[in-house]
Amino acid sequence: MKRAIFIIVAIVALVIICSASYLKLGLPNVQDSSYVKVELTSERIQHGAYLANHVTVCMDCHSTRDWKQFAGPVIPGTLGKGGEYFGQEVGFPGKFYARNLTPFNLGDWTDGEIYRAITTGVDKDGEALFPVMPYLFYGKMDKDDIYDIIAYLRTLPPIENTVPEHEIDFPMNFIINTIPTEAMPLERPEKSNTVEYGKYLVNAASCMECHSKADKGEIIMETAFAGGREFKMPNGIVRSANITPDKETGLGFWTEAAFVNRFKSYNDPKNFPQMKENQVNTIMPWTMFAGMDTTDLKAIYSYIKTLKPIKNKVEHFSLASK
């Protein structure tokens, strides 16, 4: 009997060791970075700057934000320097830092390696990236849009800033290798196809990521776009808005003009007041989305109006108890 128990325990231990070794050494299982050479044309750079700053908002996390002001606008001179921290204090399974996207860090990366990182979540050294960068959404973008972003990144002024290495908690240090997946790029719809083009932009902006509830970081699809996802802030909790067309708790009664004006109003610095001690800030990068083209905002509105209305009343801010 003892011998049988010993054999069973040994087999279980072997299975665990083999599984752990595969998770740690065999994954992430994505293709090697393909040879990509992006031509640095003025058109690519200009469009990449637009996407990175106002649609995919890469510069949101990869710069330094002034959290003393409403919505944490980017501090001038920090564009792409990286270093924004995501840690256990706000619910992350470890310590994660946004990477430096300027040529100081990416200078020895090939265009293919940058493309793979953005679209599959695997870095230059084959290491999995934590999906605080929504590469699962970026992997569905048109290749040319990603190439434009790469062209723009190549033109950023180098900023000397060495970002700390990640410290990942167990078991996420194993699980993280299962998350990256092959990119499945889609062709960008024509702007004339307003709803489909709006759907494409909503994916590029990763709206679903924040405006849905999640369980252990995975979106609960039944709550898609209905808001209520909680984000811990230094003095409380902010919850994302319900952006489905529900007339009671969402955007059902919003007109196109009201929707566009809400974004465009944040082009005015007067709408970024200093935060007070009894206020919880928002993670929504209003200053960046405010620069989105009006036609693009209208397309997003058109797509949102086609979503299934979901009744979900959201209390947007809760102060931490003292």
Side-chain angles (χ1 to χ4, degrees):
M1 179 62 72
K2 289 182 178 180
R3 178 177 173 80
I5 293 173
F6 175 80
I7 293 173
I8 292 172
V9 170
I11 292 173
V12 170
L14 182 61
V15 169
I16 292 173
I17 291 171
C18 290
S19 299
S21 297
Y22 175 71
L23 289 174
K24 201 66 178 174
L25 303 175
L27 297 177
N29 186 20
V30 297
Q31 292 181 356
D32 291 338
S33 55
S34 59
Y35 180 80
V36 174
K37 184 60 179 176
V38 177
E39 188 178 359
L40 301 185
T41 65
S42 58
E43 292 79 11
R44 278 205 185 280
I45 294 167
Q46 183 178 2
H47 188 237
Y50 172 70
L51 291 173
N53 286 285
H54 304 301
V55 181
T56 60
V57 292
C58 311
M59 297 300 110
D60 169 40
C61 290
H62 291 276
S63 307
T64 302
R65 295 171 69 179
D66 181 5
W67 291 108
K68 293 180 180 178
Q69 293 189 63
F70 177 75
V74 170
I75 298 174
T78 71
L79 210 60
K81 72 185 281 286
E84 183 160 350
Y85 170 64
F86 305 87
Q88 294 101 329
E89 302 87 343
V90 290
F92 284 85
K95 297 179 180 180
F96 301 90
Y97 303 86
R99 293 302 179 194
N100 186 334
L101 296 185
T102 75
F104 172 76
N105 182 50
L106 296 185
D108 63 348
W109 287 49
T110 67
D111 292 341
E113 288 166 344
I114 298 175
Y115 179 85
R116 185 176 70 172
I118 294 173
T119 61
T120 72
V122 177
D123 71 9
K124 180 179 185 292
D125 301 316
E127 299 292 326
L129 300 173
F130 190 74
V132 65
M133 180 180 77
Y135 52 78
L136 297 173
F137 292 91
Y138 297 160
K140 298 175 184 176
M141 291 177 63
D142 192 305
K143 281 186 175 182
D144 274 322
D145 279 346
I146 303 299
Y147 294 167
D148 291 350
I149 291 173
I150 294 170
Y152 168 63
L153 295 180
R154 293 299 195 196
T155 68
L156 289 174
I159 300 177
E160 293 189 18
N161 181 41
T162 301
V163 176
E165 292 297 323
H166 301 325
E167 297 178 22
I168 310 175
D169 295 341
F170 176 84
M172 180 50 69
N173 58 334
F174 287 92
I175 295 173
I176 191 172
N177 288 342
T178 69
I179 302 174
T181 186
E182 294 289 357
M184 299 181 65
L186 302 174
E187 186 175 345
R188 182 178 64 243
E190 294 294 330
K191 288 190 177 185
S192 58
N193 190 349
T194 308
V195 172
E196 284 302 308
Y197 180 60
K199 181 180 180 180
Y200 177 84
L201 292 172
V202 164
N203 172 79
S206 310
C207 303
M208 185 193 294
E209 176 72 18
C210 289
H211 289 277
S212 310
K213 290 183 179 179
D215 181 23
K216 297 178 181 177
E218 190 166 336
I219 292 174
I220 303 171
M221 293 307 298
E222 293 80 6
T223 71
F225 300 106
R229 186 165 185 172
E230 295 188 347
F231 301 91
K232 293 181 181 178
M233 300 296 283
N235 63 339
I237 293 174
V238 59
R239 299 176 184 86
S240 57
N242 182 346
I243 59 173
T244 73
D246 180 65
K247 293 182 178 179
E248 185 178 338
T249 63
L251 303 184
F253 285 116
W254 283 53
T255 64
E256 178 186 81
F259 182 82
V260 171
N261 290 339
R262 177 62 183 274
F263 284 86
K264 288 300 183 182
S265 68
Y266 292 107
N267 269 324
D268 189 342
K270 291 186 297 185
N271 292 325
F272 291 87
Q274 293 288 312
M275 296 299 297
K276 298 178 181 179
E277 192 174 328
N278 63 344
Q279 290 180 306
V280 179
N281 211 335
T282 177
I283 67 166
M284 177 77 165
W286 284 110
T287 51
M288 307 200 85
F289 284 139
M292 199 181 300
D293 185 82
T294 298
T295 302
D296 288 357
L297 286 169
K298 288 181 178 180
I300 288 174
Y301 174 83
S302 296
Y303 171 66
I304 285 175
K305 294 294 283 187
T306 70
L307 296 173
K308 176 185 176 182
I310 300 176
K311 191 178 299 296
N312 182 40
K313 187 175 181 180
V314 176
E315 180 186 359
H316 294 297
F317 303 99
S318 296
L319 273 171
S321 55
K322 295 184 178 179

